[in-house]
Amino acid sequence: MLIKDWIKGLQDELKRLKDINQQGLDPAVRQESQRTVGELSALLRQYQDSKAEILSETDLEPFYRFLRDRWEKMALTGATYSSHPDTLASRYCQVLANNLILIANRIQYKPRDKNHLLMPVSVCSLRVFASEALAALEIQQTSRAQEYSPFASLESQTVLDELQERLKKLSQSEEPVSWNNLSSIIDFLAARFKIIEGSRADYRLNDGTRANVFCKYLANAVFHALKFNQDASHLQNADELLVPASSSLAGWSGDDEQLTALTLKTLKAEEQMPEEAQVLTNRLKKSSEDIRLFAARLLDELNALEKDNIQNMDMAVYLESRRALSTARRLLQNALEKNPRPGGAAIEPFIRFLRERWHLIDGTAASYAESHSAANQFCRVLADHLAITGYQINYLNRNPQRLLQPAIHHDLDQVSANKRLRTAVMQDVKDRDELVAELTGLDKSYWQSYVENIDLEPFIRLMTNGQTSMLDLFNIKELFNENETRSKAILYCFLEIYSRDRGAVASDHTTLGGTIASLFASVPTGKQKNLAVETVKKFLLSGARLSDFDAVLNTPGSELYPHKAVLEDGKLVRFMEQIRLAVSRLPGKATDETLIETARARAVY
């Protein structure tokens, strides 16, 4: 019988199987089935015109080999005949085995048992395992998976390159698949998880990166191959290879040095692949030009960042974000201009910046979990780029999530944490001019939320440039100039300090002396003083000119008019003096010394 005639009969029989539905199958099993059907169809087409006569089993050796190879490949997916006897591939192979037995009987050479044809007594070899894995790897190398971050992208390429080298070496061996023979792959998967845990390359946070897709395939292949060769009784599923039981999303707290040592020890695989040590050593050498490129890229990222919307943010969070971005910009400009030394020393200031910032914002409204501030967005980008540079300086030695959150912080009481944040965001304001400049840079509607971040004593020290008494506020010369907004900001701060100085008392409280005096004269109550202060604050925040203040104060029916007597009493009269002094500094206004002296004479201490 000619080979082409035998194949023609086989092809006719296979055509009747085309309508088998495979939609409910596991994706890996369905893919294996489709590939097997395609490979067998291609093999049949290759020989369908052969006029060679079938005289012995040797003449059909490509078809015996096809069944033998498929049996070993099935070990990588678990798609065995007993588990999935009705897939299209299983049916095709059973038809092929039946036809091989029939032709053997017809030509009168000893046929093999059908089960032996389909499932030869063999084990999955490293050659078959690695060859199949390399074919799957080639697909992932060219895929356009969404990596989500620069770190995940670089991490994917590094992992795929590393696994490709390991698999190539395994593909040259006819040794059987076993735990020991696959240790270079198993150890790599375990070490890799410690690198990516909690980062945006973590399987549990981002399962779509090229490396994650392939590593999941590889873990499944290892699991099924070991099960097939009866060398994985201690494994329940493939996930145990991807995520070692000793790890947890937040529980691993090794520092960078420990992480580096662990990874290098595993990846070098010194006992099995000593030549890798030199490759890894070469990767430690980077020039300062790379650091400048790093800084330039990050400055571009920073400049493209969408600014915070103060309307939707807590003021302390807004100020912290602005402060952090300013610090980051300074560090990046220094890296560009000062030609930093190559290596880890060049990126250490950025790592320290992330560490110190995290200790400040952890547990506050500015934390990564609570806020989408521009600073948080940029710090995530910075951590990704630091991780990439860490790769280049010391292979796989940085995890961006560990850069953002370098340790477990236990001071999580929100009240104290937020107080720590408010104190920190104001520590860069050194004196009155800086404070007033900060206020004038904001819309007036945010002045109150800004000054609320300053405690009373440092507030007085700032406004008096080092003095400690509220009364010192009224003894400062040359406070005002021709900038009306600046003058309003100074006056607003005076009122806020006055309110707080009164302040631990209730809004309707009046002193004992005031109560006695009120029996004989009209003395303002505490509640009246508070109302007067709030009304003047509203005037300062409005668009009204300072020069209109006296006119409004003396106009019956105006909002200020009911508070006139209060404002001309006690410490508030000194504030009135300051308003008139500010008005006198405005363009076109002469100083009314008589008015100021009159106000001073009426002051009550």
Side-chain angles (χ1 to χ4, degrees):
M1 186 177 189
L2 300 182
I3 290 180
K4 70 173 187 176
D5 296 329
W6 179 76
I7 288 179
K8 177 66 167 59
L10 179 58
Q11 287 174 326
D12 290 342
E13 190 173 350
L14 292 176
K15 285 179 182 177
R16 294 193 288 273
L17 301 175
K18 288 287 187 182
D19 294 333
I20 293 177
N21 187 346
Q22 301 194 97
Q23 293 306 308
L25 294 174
D26 176 270
V29 175
R30 183 169 65 247
Q31 183 179 10
E32 188 279 333
S33 178
Q34 291 170 344
R35 188 177 61 178
T36 297
V37 168
E39 290 174 352
L40 179 55
S41 300
L43 182 62
L44 293 173
R45 287 194 298 271
Q46 181 181 345
Y47 289 95
Q48 67 185 6
D49 297 324
S50 174
K51 296 179 181 180
E53 190 170 354
I54 303 173
L55 300 175
S56 70
E57 183 178 292
T58 306
D59 298 318
L60 295 176
E61 174 57 26
F63 300 95
Y64 288 107
R65 186 170 62 249
F66 173 82
L67 290 176
R68 185 167 61 249
D69 287 348
R70 196 237 168 180
W71 174 236
E72 291 196 17
K73 292 174 184 178
M74 288 167 70
L76 308 182
T77 63
T80 57
Y81 293 105
S82 58
S83 300
H84 299 280
D86 295 324
T87 65
L88 189 57
S90 292
R91 293 289 187 86
Y92 264 48
C93 290
Q94 290 177 53
V95 169
L96 173 59
N98 287 334
N99 278 268
L100 287 170
I101 292 172
L102 287 174
I103 191 62
N105 286 326
R106 181 172 178 177
I107 305 302
Q108 295 184 341
Y109 60 84
K110 186 178 179 179
R112 300 186 192 182
D113 177 77
K114 180 180 177 181
N115 285 338
H116 179 72
L117 284 175
L118 293 172
M119 298 175 286
V121 181
S122 66
V123 294
C124 182
S125 69
L126 290 176
R127 175 185 59 81
V128 172
F129 170 88
S131 297
E132 288 293 291
L134 285 168
L137 176 59
E138 186 176 352
I139 296 172
Q140 286 306 315
Q141 289 278 30
T142 57
S143 72
R144 299 185 177 220
Q146 177 61 54
E147 308 290 12
Y148 297 105
S149 78
F151 172 75
S153 178
L154 182 78
E155 199 274 339
S156 278
Q157 192 57 54
T158 305
V159 165
L160 295 181
D161 289 347
E162 191 72 31
L163 286 172
Q164 185 176 50
E165 293 304 311
R166 292 169 183 247
L167 289 168
K168 282 180 179 179
K169 293 183 179 183
L170 293 179
S171 69
Q172 299 168 11
S173 173
E174 289 295 342
E175 290 286 314
V177 163
S178 68
W179 187 275
N180 286 337
N181 288 340
L182 287 179
S183 62
S184 66
I185 302 298
I186 295 169
D187 290 346
F188 180 88
L189 292 176
R192 179 191 179 234
F193 181 72
K194 283 188 164 49
I195 303 300
I196 65 172
E197 185 180 15
S199 78
R200 277 172 284 178
D202 193 318
Y203 298 105
R204 299 161 297 183
L205 304 178
N206 176 6
D207 62 1
T209 71
R210 291 177 300 149
N212 282 351
V213 170
F214 180 68
C215 284
K216 285 191 286 187
Y217 159 82
L218 193 58
N220 273 294
V222 170
F223 174 74
H224 288 301
L226 291 175
K227 285 289 187 184
F228 183 78
N229 288 4
Q230 300 182 347
D231 192 25
S233 59
H234 59 291
L235 287 178
Q236 298 299 314
N237 54 60
D239 287 346
E240 294 178 28
L241 296 169
L242 292 172
V243 182
S246 60
S247 297
S248 66
L249 186 60
W252 195 77
S253 59
D255 61 24
D256 290 325
E257 289 73 26
Q258 290 173 328
L259 180 57
T260 302
L262 168 70
T263 306
L264 290 176
K265 179 180 178 181
T266 302
L267 295 186
K268 286 178 184 177
E270 293 174 346
E271 295 180 0
Q272 299 175 32
M273 303 178 195
E275 69 276 12
E276 285 191 348
Q278 186 58 46
V279 175
L280 296 176
T281 301
N282 290 340
R283 288 176 178 169
L284 303 180
K285 300 174 182 177
K286 295 300 291 181
S287 70
S288 58
E289 181 63 27
D290 293 315
I291 304 301
R292 288 196 293 273
L293 290 174
F294 161 85
R297 283 196 304 270
L298 265 297
L299 277 173
D300 287 342
E301 295 274 4
L302 183 55
N303 292 332
L305 197 65
E306 185 175 345
K307 289 182 172 56
D308 285 317
N309 184 351
I310 191 173
Q311 293 180 343
N312 302 322
M313 298 179 71
D314 175 85
M315 178 57 72
V317 176
Y318 171 82
L319 294 173
E320 190 284 326
S321 178
R322 189 182 65 177
R323 176 175 178 260
L325 293 177
S326 175
T327 301
R329 183 179 297 278
R330 175 175 52 79
L331 291 175
L332 291 169
Q333 289 171 339
N334 285 345
L336 275 178
E337 298 166 2
K338 294 186 178 179
N339 192 24
R341 293 172 294 170
I347 61 174
E348 182 57 34
F350 300 98
I351 295 171
R352 185 167 57 250
F353 160 71
L354 290 178
R355 181 171 60 245
E356 291 174 353
R357 179 172 186 261
W358 181 74
H359 281 290
L360 169 63
I361 68 173
D362 184 40
T364 74
S367 69
Y368 293 108
E370 297 294 330
S371 172
H372 297 290
S373 67
N376 282 354
Q377 295 175 51
F378 177 74
C379 284
R380 289 190 175 97
V381 173
L382 174 60
D384 282 341
H385 281 267
L386 283 171
I388 292 173
T389 304
Y391 264 101
Q392 296 168 340
I393 292 173
N394 204 341
Y395 183 58
L396 278 180
N397 77 328
R398 297 291 178 193
N399 177 329
Q401 188 66 19
R402 299 301 172 197
L403 291 172
L404 289 173
Q405 298 176 289
I408 305 250
H409 193 60
H410 298 292
D411 180 18
L412 296 180
D413 174 69
Q414 192 162 21
V415 174
S416 60
N418 284 328
K419 180 177 176 60
R420 182 182 70 237
L421 179 66
R422 289 196 303 273
T423 300
V425 298
M426 299 308 303
Q427 68 185 20
D428 293 335
V429 180
K430 303 302 182 186
D431 56 30
R432 179 176 59 246
D433 288 340
E434 287 190 19
L435 174 59
V436 173
E438 285 276 284
L439 287 176
T440 56
L442 295 171
D443 185 89
K444 292 189 189 73
S445 60
Y446 299 110
W447 283 3
Q448 185 61 36
S449 58
Y450 183 93
V451 297
E452 284 173 356
N453 290 292
I454 317 173
D455 290 335
L456 178 59
E457 287 188 12
F459 201 174
I460 293 175
R461 280 197 299 272
L462 281 173
M463 288 305 295
T464 60
N465 281 350
Q467 303 303 312
T468 57
S469 167
M470 193 196 78
L471 289 178
D472 291 322
L473 292 174
F474 304 119
N475 296 321
I476 303 170
K477 304 299 182 184
E478 304 301 326
L479 269 176
F480 304 101
N481 59 26
E482 296 182 352
N483 185 321
E484 184 163 0
T485 303
R486 180 180 181 279
S487 296
K488 281 189 172 184
I490 293 171
L491 294 167
Y492 192 90
C493 289
F494 284 179
L495 282 176
E496 177 66 17
I497 289 173
Y498 170 80
S499 296
R500 297 208 212 159
D501 188 58
R502 284 197 83 260
V505 296
S507 61
D508 60 349
H509 177 80
T510 304
T511 62
L512 177 62
T515 302
I516 295 173
S518 67
L519 299 175
F520 306 97
S522 178
V523 176
T525 66
K527 186 173 183 178
Q528 289 173 323
K529 292 176 182 177
N530 288 345
L531 287 173
V533 167
E534 292 305 312
T535 305
V536 178
K537 278 186 176 181
K538 287 175 64 177
F539 174 85
L540 294 174
L541 296 178
S542 73
R545 296 293 305 273
L546 270 179
S547 55
D548 296 331
F549 182 82
D550 269 327
V552 175
L553 182 66
N554 290 294
T555 301
S558 73
E559 194 171 11
L560 280 173
Y561 187 77
H563 306 293
K564 179 178 179 181
V566 177
L567 293 171
E568 293 178 348
D569 180 80
K571 293 176 182 175
L572 285 174
V573 75
R574 303 302 303 273
F575 172 75
M576 294 291 290
E577 176 186 342
Q578 294 295 328
I579 285 189
R580 287 154 184 157
L581 179 60
V583 169
S584 73
R585 297 289 191 263
L586 298 178
K589 297 290 180 182
T591 302
D592 189 345
E593 295 292 348
T594 304
L595 189 58
I596 293 174
E597 288 301 321
T598 301
R600 182 177 290 115
R602 298 179 59 185
V604 178
Y605 298 106

